[in-house]
Amino acid sequence: MRLIISKKKCFLGIGFFCLCYITYSNLIWLPAFLFESYDMSLVQAGFFAALYPLSGIISRPLGGYISDVLFKGKRKQTILIGFFVILISTFMLSLVENFNINIYFIILIGFFDNLIGLLFFAWMLDLVPDGSSGSGAGALQFFGHIGTVLSIYFSGLAVDFFHSYRPFFMILSAIAVLGIISVCLISESGKKSL
C-alpha cells in the first residue's frame, strides 16, 4: 500500500476527482440547462448535450497522441492544457447567454474533458511499480467515483439554491482551478511512453 499511496498519487487522484466532478455535472445537468435556459424541446436539448460526449470520438485518441508523441510521454502538460480550456469555457458559460456561442463552449469542454480523462490512468501507470497497475487504477478510480457521486448531488443543490445555472458553471470553474493546482503540485520526470 505504501507503494500505491504517495503524495504524487494523491494529488493525481484529486485532479481526477475534479475532472470527474466536472464531467458528470455536465453530463447530468447540460440537458436541463439547455431545456430551461433556451426554451427548447427535450429532444433538441438532448441532441445538443450529446455533443459533449461525442467529441470524445476525436479527442480521446488525440490526447494519447499529444501526450506520447508531442510531449514525449509526459502527461502533465496535456492535462494542464485541458484543465485551462475547461476553466475558461466554464467561466464563459457563466457569463455568456448567447445560445450559439455557448454550444461552442459546451463542445470545447467536452472535447478537452475527453482529451485528458484517460491520461490520468496513463500517468498513474507511469507512477506505480510494475505489477501494481490494477491497484493504481483502482485507487485513481476511487477518487473519480467520489467526484462523480458528489457532483450529481451538489450540482443540483447549487442550481436549486441560486435558481440559475450561471453559479453552477462558476463552481465548475473553481473545481477546474483546484484540478490545475493539484496537477501542478506533481513533479514529472523520466516517465515512460505507452
Side-chain angles (χ1 to χ4, degrees):
M1 283 307 290
R2 282 185 295 123
L3 295 174
I4 300 301
I5 299 172
S6 70
K7 189 162 63 170
K8 280 185 180 181
K9 296 176 194 78
C10 285
F11 284 133
L12 188 64
I14 292 169
F16 192 60
F17 164 92
C18 293
L19 184 67
C20 287
Y21 192 102
I22 292 165
T23 301
Y24 284 91
S25 290
N26 283 313
L27 288 175
I28 298 298
W29 292 103
L30 274 178
F33 163 69
L34 294 169
F35 174 75
E36 294 176 15
S37 301
Y38 298 106
D39 196 30
M40 57 178 55
S41 71
L42 286 174
V43 173
Q44 290 173 310
F47 171 78
F48 285 114
L51 296 175
Y52 187 99
L54 276 175
S55 64
I57 293 171
I58 297 167
S59 64
R60 282 188 180 234
L62 181 62
Y65 177 82
I66 291 170
S67 174
D68 288 343
V69 177
L70 296 183
F71 291 125
K72 309 280 192 261
K74 307 276 186 186
R75 316 298 177 200
K76 186 174 187 172
Q77 294 93 329
T78 311
I79 290 173
L80 285 175
I81 290 167
F83 264 134
F84 273 112
V85 173
I86 291 169
L87 166 62
I88 293 165
S89 299
T90 52
F91 182 73
M92 293 307 294
L93 275 172
S94 72
L95 301 176
V96 176
E97 295 188 9
N98 183 282
F99 170 75
N100 294 321
I101 294 172
N102 281 344
I103 287 300
Y104 288 113
F105 287 130
I106 288 168
I107 293 170
L108 264 179
I109 296 166
F111 186 88
F112 282 92
D113 178 338
N114 282 289
L115 184 108
I116 66 174
L118 295 178
L119 294 181
F120 279 92
F121 289 95
W123 198 353
M124 179 61 87
L125 294 179
D126 291 340
L127 295 176
V128 297
D130 291 339
S132 299
S133 60
S135 299
L140 189 62
Q141 196 68 344
F142 168 77
F143 282 95
H145 278 301
I146 292 173
T148 299
V149 170
L150 293 180
S151 72
I152 295 168
Y153 181 69
F154 286 107
S155 293
L157 281 181
V159 172
D160 283 348
F161 181 78
F162 293 106
H163 303 290
S164 170
Y165 287 90
R166 305 299 166 192
F168 161 78
F169 290 117
M170 287 295 291
I171 291 168
L172 295 187
S173 297
I175 297 289
V177 170
L178 178 60
I180 290 167
I181 292 169
S182 66
V183 170
C184 284
L185 293 172
I186 307 168
S187 62
E188 185 181 37
S189 59
K191 302 292 182 285
K192 60 192 176 191
S193 291
L194 294 178

